[in-house]
Amino acid sequence: MTSDDPRPSRIVGGGINTRESEPPVVVTQMLGIDNSDPIREEALRARFLSFDPLFDAASNLVAHQLVLRGRAAPADAPAELRQMEEDMLLTGLYSLMQGGLTDKLPLLVRISPGVLFSEVPQQLNQPRLIWCVAIDNEQHLARALALQDAGMAFCPTLNRNDTIVQDSASAWHYLSCHADDTPPPVAARLVVESVRHAHTQTRWPESAWFKGSFFSGDTQPVEVSHEHAVQLDLLAIALRESVETLVQFFRLNPDMTPRMLAIANSQVGGLSRPAESVAHALIMLGPQRARRVAALLALAGKQPSEAMRHYAVTALTRALFMGKITRLGAPAESAADAFEIGLLSIAPRALSLPVETLIRKLGLSATHARALSAHPSPEGAMLRLAHACENNDVDTLASHAQKLKIPLHQISVAYLDALIAASALDEALH
């Protein structure tokens, strides 16, 4: 394909990986940045840690709970997945403690009962730290009380079926409760989770702390299906985590591996030879391409319907197009940001989530959030340009071409090139 430009854009076929050192040309690969600079710990924490707020009865911020962004393994999830998430959370907490906690508010951290019997609580003991843990039996109870006597703060969830554990309610300084529970008559500060309605909150004492969608909108919508929750989890891993974590995800979700291999071994993956397993594919793809392929799988699902296939192909088309336009000189922060915004622009529909929830669950940057929520930004302008190409909106195309100072025919070539490249994904999803 050529254009009338005296210096026509070169179209490079196959693969989903480019480097910023390449000439600013139209390409069919997924775009990103290779950066060998060391990553500061603050940036690492920002990628996978979040601080969920807790409020008092007057809606004043009183504490935070440390959680993993976009991740919450359900109670029936494999033990390996729950362990992996707890290890990630504690690793982040170690990093926070080394850097020093600057927030003066209490910080709640949920741990499994097994951590009670490790050295972790003593190693991380800090006055503002409150450990949340399920006390299931007398052994857990004895250990937690001993650590509390040693000066550590606990906010336990007491096993309703163990009388001795229930009788310890008055011994705690903090006590975890569910919004549907009957408030226990104790002096402890009650930490109430899953508050969704005002009438629920009014049943609790004035001294209680509250967490839930009534205050902050953090509670995941009930209508999100299990399949979409798994896809959201994979998307969060694909955006932030290492290849090793991706390998672990597919070990725990083997039903996702056939589709992952199909995408990786297609023209979209751009491998020089077929991969024999997901782990093999992820290594051959390299970190950047592996994350891109995993993100596409997260948008399509393990058994994509016609609608889901359409969403995934549209997402890849937008991503490739926005990356190309950035490389042609549009004022975006980077081609990688533009690509990810294009990819994520279809996620609210594919995962049946509001944009605001998606931004929060995935811990997206301010650049991504502005573009996806229609706030003015260079990336947002390119996303509107992609929409105009999809709808053949000539007036909008001409207007944006003038603002971006990119010839209209180059925009047309870039979009057509992206559309052709992304069409290869449809076959891999059948």
mmCIF file of all heavy atoms in Angstrom, residues 211-243:
data_model
loop_
_atom_site.group_PDB
_atom_site.id
_atom_site.type_symbol
_atom_site.label_atom_id
_atom_site.label_comp_id
_atom_site.label_asym_id
_atom_site.label_seq_id
_atom_site.Cartn_x
_atom_site.Cartn_y
_atom_site.Cartn_z
ATOM 1 N N LYS A 211 -16.670 1.040 55.316
ATOM 2 C CA LYS A 211 -16.068 0.858 54.001
ATOM 3 C C LYS A 211 -17.112 0.250 53.074
ATOM 4 O O LYS A 211 -17.804 -0.697 53.448
ATOM 5 C CB LYS A 211 -14.847 -0.066 54.076
ATOM 6 C CG LYS A 211 -14.177 -0.316 52.734
ATOM 7 C CD LYS A 211 -13.045 -1.310 52.875
ATOM 8 C CE LYS A 211 -12.470 -1.640 51.500
ATOM 9 N NZ LYS A 211 -11.439 -2.698 51.577
ATOM 10 N N GLY A 212 -17.224 0.805 51.865
ATOM 11 C CA GLY A 212 -18.206 0.254 50.932
ATOM 12 C C GLY A 212 -18.633 1.268 49.904
ATOM 13 O O GLY A 212 -18.212 2.422 49.912
ATOM 14 N N SER A 213 -19.480 0.848 48.990
ATOM 15 C CA SER A 213 -19.862 1.684 47.854
ATOM 16 C C SER A 213 -20.699 2.892 48.249
ATOM 17 O O SER A 213 -20.743 3.872 47.516
ATOM 18 C CB SER A 213 -20.624 0.839 46.829
ATOM 19 O OG SER A 213 -21.786 0.287 47.419
ATOM 20 N N PHE A 214 -21.381 2.850 49.403
ATOM 21 C CA PHE A 214 -22.169 4.001 49.831
ATOM 22 C C PHE A 214 -21.274 5.220 50.030
ATOM 23 O O PHE A 214 -21.663 6.360 49.785
ATOM 24 C CB PHE A 214 -22.905 3.687 51.131
ATOM 25 C CG PHE A 214 -23.623 4.865 51.726
ATOM 26 C CD1 PHE A 214 -24.708 5.431 51.077
ATOM 27 C CD2 PHE A 214 -23.211 5.422 52.931
ATOM 28 C CE1 PHE A 214 -25.368 6.527 51.621
ATOM 29 C CE2 PHE A 214 -23.863 6.511 53.479
ATOM 30 C CZ PHE A 214 -24.951 7.059 52.824
ATOM 31 N N PHE A 215 -20.017 4.970 50.435
ATOM 32 C CA PHE A 215 -19.087 6.065 50.706
ATOM 33 C C PHE A 215 -18.182 6.379 49.517
ATOM 34 O O PHE A 215 -17.972 7.529 49.168
ATOM 35 C CB PHE A 215 -18.217 5.722 51.922
ATOM 36 C CG PHE A 215 -18.989 5.663 53.206
ATOM 37 C CD1 PHE A 215 -19.496 4.453 53.658
ATOM 38 C CD2 PHE A 215 -19.234 6.794 53.948
ATOM 39 C CE1 PHE A 215 -20.222 4.384 54.832
ATOM 40 C CE2 PHE A 215 -19.969 6.739 55.121
ATOM 41 C CZ PHE A 215 -20.469 5.529 55.567
ATOM 42 N N SER A 216 -17.628 5.334 48.903
ATOM 43 C CA SER A 216 -16.548 5.579 47.949
ATOM 44 C C SER A 216 -16.731 4.955 46.581
ATOM 45 O O SER A 216 -15.934 5.204 45.677
ATOM 46 C CB SER A 216 -15.231 5.050 48.524
ATOM 47 O OG SER A 216 -15.340 3.653 48.756
ATOM 48 N N GLY A 217 -17.732 4.108 46.392
ATOM 49 C CA GLY A 217 -17.904 3.456 45.105
ATOM 50 C C GLY A 217 -16.913 2.352 44.826
ATOM 51 O O GLY A 217 -16.775 1.904 43.698
ATOM 52 N N ASP A 218 -16.182 1.882 45.869
ATOM 53 C CA ASP A 218 -15.144 0.883 45.650
ATOM 54 C C ASP A 218 -15.681 -0.528 45.488
ATOM 55 O O ASP A 218 -14.990 -1.396 44.978
ATOM 56 C CB ASP A 218 -14.160 0.868 46.831
ATOM 57 C CG ASP A 218 -13.299 2.117 46.846
ATOM 58 O OD1 ASP A 218 -13.189 2.742 45.785
ATOM 59 O OD2 ASP A 218 -12.752 2.454 47.901
ATOM 60 N N THR A 219 -16.886 -0.792 45.955
ATOM 61 C CA THR A 219 -17.407 -2.146 45.919
ATOM 62 C C THR A 219 -17.691 -2.564 44.479
ATOM 63 O O THR A 219 -18.341 -1.838 43.738
ATOM 64 C CB THR A 219 -18.702 -2.256 46.745
ATOM 65 O OG1 THR A 219 -18.422 -1.816 48.067
ATOM 66 C CG2 THR A 219 -19.198 -3.687 46.779
ATOM 67 N N GLN A 220 -17.181 -3.734 44.090
ATOM 68 C CA GLN A 220 -17.391 -4.210 42.717
ATOM 69 C C GLN A 220 -18.857 -4.475 42.477
ATOM 70 O O GLN A 220 -19.532 -5.078 43.301
ATOM 71 C CB GLN A 220 -16.587 -5.499 42.492
ATOM 72 C CG GLN A 220 -16.690 -6.014 41.066
ATOM 73 C CD GLN A 220 -15.657 -7.055 40.753
ATOM 74 O OE1 GLN A 220 -14.478 -6.817 40.838
ATOM 75 N NE2 GLN A 220 -16.113 -8.243 40.405
ATOM 76 N N PRO A 221 -19.404 -4.005 41.346
ATOM 77 C CA PRO A 221 -20.824 -4.204 41.078
ATOM 78 C C PRO A 221 -21.218 -5.671 41.128
ATOM 79 O O PRO A 221 -20.485 -6.545 40.684
ATOM 80 C CB PRO A 221 -20.971 -3.652 39.648
ATOM 81 C CG PRO A 221 -19.829 -2.703 39.477
ATOM 82 C CD PRO A 221 -18.720 -3.266 40.290
ATOM 83 N N VAL A 222 -22.411 -5.933 41.656
ATOM 84 C CA VAL A 222 -22.883 -7.299 41.806
ATOM 85 C C VAL A 222 -23.060 -7.975 40.449
ATOM 86 O O VAL A 222 -22.876 -9.174 40.311
ATOM 87 C CB VAL A 222 -24.215 -7.304 42.584
ATOM 88 C CG1 VAL A 222 -24.778 -8.710 42.666
ATOM 89 C CG2 VAL A 222 -24.020 -6.734 43.978
ATOM 90 N N GLU A 223 -23.402 -7.178 39.418
ATOM 91 C CA GLU A 223 -23.733 -7.787 38.134
ATOM 92 C C GLU A 223 -22.521 -8.308 37.372
ATOM 93 O O GLU A 223 -22.666 -8.918 36.324
ATOM 94 C CB GLU A 223 -24.480 -6.771 37.254
ATOM 95 C CG GLU A 223 -23.691 -5.536 36.879
ATOM 96 C CD GLU A 223 -23.833 -4.412 37.890
ATOM 97 O OE1 GLU A 223 -24.305 -4.680 39.012
ATOM 98 O OE2 GLU A 223 -23.485 -3.269 37.556
ATOM 99 N N VAL A 224 -21.294 -8.052 37.826
ATOM 100 C CA VAL A 224 -20.112 -8.560 37.145
ATOM 101 C C VAL A 224 -20.054 -10.076 37.303
ATOM 102 O O VAL A 224 -20.036 -10.597 38.411
ATOM 103 C CB VAL A 224 -18.831 -7.916 37.710
ATOM 104 C CG1 VAL A 224 -17.601 -8.567 37.086
ATOM 105 C CG2 VAL A 224 -18.826 -6.425 37.439
ATOM 106 N N SER A 225 -20.024 -10.792 36.176
ATOM 107 C CA SER A 225 -20.008 -12.247 36.221
ATOM 108 C C SER A 225 -18.642 -12.761 36.615
ATOM 109 O O SER A 225 -17.640 -12.037 36.578
ATOM 110 C CB SER A 225 -20.385 -12.812 34.842
ATOM 111 O OG SER A 225 -19.368 -12.511 33.902
ATOM 112 N N HIS A 226 -18.602 -14.052 36.975
ATOM 113 C CA HIS A 226 -17.320 -14.654 37.340
ATOM 114 C C HIS A 226 -16.359 -14.624 36.157
ATOM 115 O O HIS A 226 -15.165 -14.347 36.317
ATOM 116 C CB HIS A 226 -17.542 -16.097 37.806
ATOM 117 C CG HIS A 226 -16.260 -16.850 38.043
ATOM 118 N ND1 HIS A 226 -15.414 -16.566 39.096
ATOM 119 C CD2 HIS A 226 -15.661 -17.858 37.342
ATOM 120 C CE1 HIS A 226 -14.368 -17.369 39.056
ATOM 121 N NE2 HIS A 226 -14.490 -18.158 37.997
ATOM 122 N N GLU A 227 -16.877 -14.908 34.958
ATOM 123 C CA GLU A 227 -16.011 -14.907 33.777
ATOM 124 C C GLU A 227 -15.421 -13.529 33.530
ATOM 125 O O GLU A 227 -14.225 -13.387 33.237
ATOM 126 C CB GLU A 227 -16.796 -15.366 32.553
ATOM 127 C CG GLU A 227 -15.944 -15.445 31.284
ATOM 128 C CD GLU A 227 -16.709 -15.974 30.091
ATOM 129 O OE1 GLU A 227 -17.893 -16.348 30.264
ATOM 130 O OE2 GLU A 227 -16.136 -16.010 28.996
ATOM 131 N N HIS A 228 -16.242 -12.494 33.654
ATOM 132 C CA HIS A 228 -15.727 -11.144 33.467
ATOM 133 C C HIS A 228 -14.746 -10.762 34.575
ATOM 134 O O HIS A 228 -13.785 -10.020 34.325
ATOM 135 C CB HIS A 228 -16.886 -10.135 33.427
ATOM 136 C CG HIS A 228 -17.585 -10.091 32.111
ATOM 137 N ND1 HIS A 228 -18.744 -9.385 31.902
ATOM 138 C CD2 HIS A 228 -17.297 -10.678 30.919
ATOM 139 C CE1 HIS A 228 -19.134 -9.524 30.642
ATOM 140 N NE2 HIS A 228 -18.277 -10.313 30.031
ATOM 141 N N ALA A 229 -14.968 -11.262 35.788
ATOM 142 C CA ALA A 229 -14.035 -10.989 36.880
ATOM 143 C C ALA A 229 -12.661 -11.596 36.588
ATOM 144 O O ALA A 229 -11.626 -10.984 36.862
ATOM 145 C CB ALA A 229 -14.592 -11.541 38.193
ATOM 146 N N VAL A 230 -12.646 -12.814 36.014
ATOM 147 C CA VAL A 230 -11.379 -13.447 35.639
ATOM 148 C C VAL A 230 -10.704 -12.645 34.525
ATOM 149 O O VAL A 230 -9.481 -12.428 34.537
ATOM 150 C CB VAL A 230 -11.618 -14.906 35.197
ATOM 151 C CG1 VAL A 230 -10.330 -15.515 34.624
ATOM 152 C CG2 VAL A 230 -12.110 -15.742 36.363
ATOM 153 N N GLN A 231 -11.501 -12.197 33.550
ATOM 154 C CA GLN A 231 -10.942 -11.385 32.468
ATOM 155 C C GLN A 231 -10.365 -10.078 33.003
ATOM 156 O O GLN A 231 -9.295 -9.640 32.562
ATOM 157 C CB GLN A 231 -12.020 -11.094 31.425
ATOM 158 C CG GLN A 231 -12.449 -12.313 30.614
ATOM 159 C CD GLN A 231 -13.618 -12.008 29.700
ATOM 160 O OE1 GLN A 231 -14.697 -12.551 29.844
ATOM 161 N NE2 GLN A 231 -13.419 -11.116 28.741
ATOM 162 N N LEU A 232 -11.051 -9.451 33.958
ATOM 163 C CA LEU A 232 -10.546 -8.217 34.562
ATOM 164 C C LEU A 232 -9.249 -8.477 35.306
ATOM 165 O O LEU A 232 -8.303 -7.682 35.247
ATOM 166 C CB LEU A 232 -11.599 -7.626 35.505
ATOM 167 C CG LEU A 232 -11.222 -6.317 36.219
ATOM 168 C CD1 LEU A 232 -11.015 -5.201 35.206
ATOM 169 C CD2 LEU A 232 -12.292 -5.935 37.231
ATOM 170 N N ASP A 233 -9.182 -9.607 36.001
ATOM 171 C CA ASP A 233 -7.975 -9.974 36.726
ATOM 172 C C ASP A 233 -6.810 -10.147 35.755
ATOM 173 O O ASP A 233 -5.706 -9.654 36.000
ATOM 174 C CB ASP A 233 -8.220 -11.269 37.507
ATOM 175 C CG ASP A 233 -7.196 -11.477 38.609
ATOM 176 O OD1 ASP A 233 -6.843 -10.494 39.277
ATOM 177 O OD2 ASP A 233 -6.749 -12.625 38.791
ATOM 178 N N LEU A 234 -7.057 -10.841 34.646
ATOM 179 C CA LEU A 234 -6.004 -11.035 33.641
ATOM 180 C C LEU A 234 -5.583 -9.703 33.038
ATOM 181 O O LEU A 234 -4.377 -9.469 32.818
ATOM 182 C CB LEU A 234 -6.499 -11.984 32.548
ATOM 183 C CG LEU A 234 -5.549 -12.191 31.351
ATOM 184 C CD1 LEU A 234 -4.187 -12.684 31.812
ATOM 185 C CD2 LEU A 234 -6.162 -13.138 30.342
ATOM 186 N N LEU A 235 -6.533 -8.818 32.787
ATOM 187 C CA LEU A 235 -6.194 -7.512 32.214
ATOM 188 C C LEU A 235 -5.321 -6.717 33.175
ATOM 189 O O LEU A 235 -4.349 -6.068 32.765
ATOM 190 C CB LEU A 235 -7.472 -6.737 31.890
ATOM 191 C CG LEU A 235 -7.306 -5.418 31.129
ATOM 192 C CD1 LEU A 235 -6.563 -5.630 29.825
ATOM 193 C CD2 LEU A 235 -8.663 -4.772 30.878
ATOM 194 N N ALA A 236 -5.637 -6.785 34.472
ATOM 195 C CA ALA A 236 -4.821 -6.084 35.465
ATOM 196 C C ALA A 236 -3.399 -6.642 35.491
ATOM 197 O O ALA A 236 -2.419 -5.886 35.567
ATOM 198 C CB ALA A 236 -5.464 -6.221 36.846
ATOM 199 N N ILE A 237 -3.268 -7.967 35.412
ATOM 200 C CA ILE A 237 -1.938 -8.588 35.396
ATOM 201 C C ILE A 237 -1.196 -8.187 34.122
ATOM 202 O O ILE A 237 -0.006 -7.860 34.153
ATOM 203 C CB ILE A 237 -2.064 -10.116 35.500
ATOM 204 C CG1 ILE A 237 -2.625 -10.514 36.864
ATOM 205 C CG2 ILE A 237 -0.704 -10.793 35.295
ATOM 206 C CD1 ILE A 237 -2.934 -11.997 36.989
ATOM 207 N N ALA A 238 -1.891 -8.229 32.989
ATOM 208 C CA ALA A 238 -1.258 -7.912 31.714
ATOM 209 C C ALA A 238 -0.728 -6.482 31.690
ATOM 210 O O ALA A 238 0.309 -6.203 31.077
ATOM 211 C CB ALA A 238 -2.254 -8.115 30.575
ATOM 212 N N LEU A 239 -1.402 -5.559 32.353
ATOM 213 C CA LEU A 239 -0.990 -4.159 32.339
ATOM 214 C C LEU A 239 0.174 -3.874 33.274
ATOM 215 O O LEU A 239 0.963 -2.964 33.027
ATOM 216 C CB LEU A 239 -2.166 -3.259 32.717
ATOM 217 C CG LEU A 239 -3.308 -3.157 31.704
ATOM 218 C CD1 LEU A 239 -4.435 -2.305 32.276
ATOM 219 C CD2 LEU A 239 -2.811 -2.568 30.389
ATOM 220 N N ARG A 240 0.293 -4.668 34.363
ATOM 221 C CA ARG A 240 1.234 -4.265 35.412
ATOM 222 C C ARG A 240 2.277 -5.303 35.802
ATOM 223 O O ARG A 240 3.325 -4.951 36.320
ATOM 224 C CB ARG A 240 0.459 -3.886 36.682
ATOM 225 C CG ARG A 240 -0.316 -2.617 36.591
ATOM 226 C CD ARG A 240 -0.808 -2.213 37.971
ATOM 227 N NE ARG A 240 -1.566 -3.283 38.593
ATOM 228 C CZ ARG A 240 -2.856 -3.495 38.379
ATOM 229 N NH1 ARG A 240 -3.510 -2.739 37.538
ATOM 230 N NH2 ARG A 240 -3.492 -4.475 38.994
ATOM 231 N N GLU A 241 1.984 -6.576 35.620
ATOM 232 C CA GLU A 241 2.821 -7.588 36.230
ATOM 233 C C GLU A 241 3.864 -8.150 35.268
ATOM 234 O O GLU A 241 3.894 -7.844 34.086
ATOM 235 C CB GLU A 241 1.954 -8.717 36.786
ATOM 236 C CG GLU A 241 0.845 -8.254 37.714
ATOM 237 C CD GLU A 241 1.370 -7.559 38.962
ATOM 238 O OE1 GLU A 241 2.567 -7.720 39.270
ATOM 239 O OE2 GLU A 241 0.599 -6.855 39.616
ATOM 240 N N SER A 242 4.718 -9.018 35.800
ATOM 241 C CA SER A 242 5.805 -9.610 35.039
ATOM 242 C C SER A 242 5.318 -10.805 34.225
ATOM 243 O O SER A 242 4.211 -11.315 34.432
ATOM 244 C CB SER A 242 6.910 -10.066 35.996
ATOM 245 O OG SER A 242 6.425 -11.115 36.827
ATOM 246 N N VAL A 243 6.165 -11.271 33.331
ATOM 247 C CA VAL A 243 5.860 -12.468 32.558
ATOM 248 C C VAL A 243 5.694 -13.661 33.497
ATOM 249 O O VAL A 243 4.838 -14.532 33.268
ATOM 250 C CB VAL A 243 6.971 -12.737 31.523
ATOM 251 C CG1 VAL A 243 6.785 -14.109 30.873
ATOM 252 C CG2 VAL A 243 6.968 -11.654 30.453
#
